[in-house]
Amino acid sequence: RREPWQEKQRRLRARLRRILPIDVHQPHPLGSPLCPPADALLSAFCLEAVSPDHAAFTRALAHVGTLLRPGGHLLLLGALGESFYLAGAARLPVVPLSEDDVRAALADASFALRDFRSYSMPPALRTGVDDVDGVFFVHAQK
């Protein structure tokens, strides 16, 4: 709608009820169990960026899963094959994931995979701020 970003920001701020700190490396990522559990969660390009290795990624995914009610939905978007990204002058590490790594982590975290799609990063979209090979989109259920 080509509306100014300031208007979008104003509308978003008006709808927010609260912002909660989260640590996906803790068994209770919000500090205590979420009550009531969430019907759905979205994580986009986060878990692989905050996990030092595959085991930590799998644990983080399981911890996030505790926030969902039984049958709750997870939408997970992430990078494939990425080992770093640049944030200004800082070079930040990322655990490089393959499709098989993501599928195994979902199974280990007791998610039922509903849909998995991945796409290779075309050369025109490679900007030099990371070394990503592709992206994945997952719909899973607890």
Side-chain angles (χ1 to χ4, degrees):
R1 294 185 284 178
R2 298 186 182 168
E3 101 187 286
W5 68 265
Q6 294 91 340
E7 178 57 22
K8 290 179 184 179
Q9 180 185 49
R10 186 199 61 75
R11 283 196 348 259
L12 177 61
R13 287 181 186 270
R15 290 187 176 133
L16 286 175
R17 290 183 291 185
R18 61 185 173 164
I19 297 174
L20 301 172
I22 186 168
D23 183 348
V24 297
H25 297 298
Q26 297 300 316
H28 295 291
L30 297 174
S32 61
L34 186 60
C35 193
D39 293 325
L41 293 172
L42 167 69
S43 176
F45 301 96
C46 293
L47 299 182
E48 67 274 22
V50 298
S51 299
D53 55 38
H54 292 99
F57 174 81
T58 299
R59 284 190 306 274
L61 190 56
H63 294 161
V64 167
T66 66
L67 302 172
L68 284 169
R69 68 167 173 78
H73 299 269
L74 173 69
L75 299 176
L76 182 64
L77 291 72
L80 293 170
E82 183 179 38
S83 68
F84 76 92
Y85 69 93
L86 300 176
R91 182 181 169 110
L92 303 171
V94 178
V95 62
L97 299 171
S98 69
E99 289 183 26
D100 288 341
D101 294 330
V102 177
R103 290 175 189 275
L106 287 162
D108 288 349
S110 301
F111 280 98
L113 183 60
R114 299 295 179 226
D115 194 10
F116 189 111
R117 298 181 189 207
S118 64
Y119 302 91
S120 294
M121 187 62 68
L125 293 180
R126 294 179 188 252
T127 62
V129 298
D130 59 28
D131 63 346
V132 66
D133 291 333
V135 294
F136 66 88
F137 303 87
V138 165
H139 170 214
Q141 258 182 305
K142 200 62 181 153

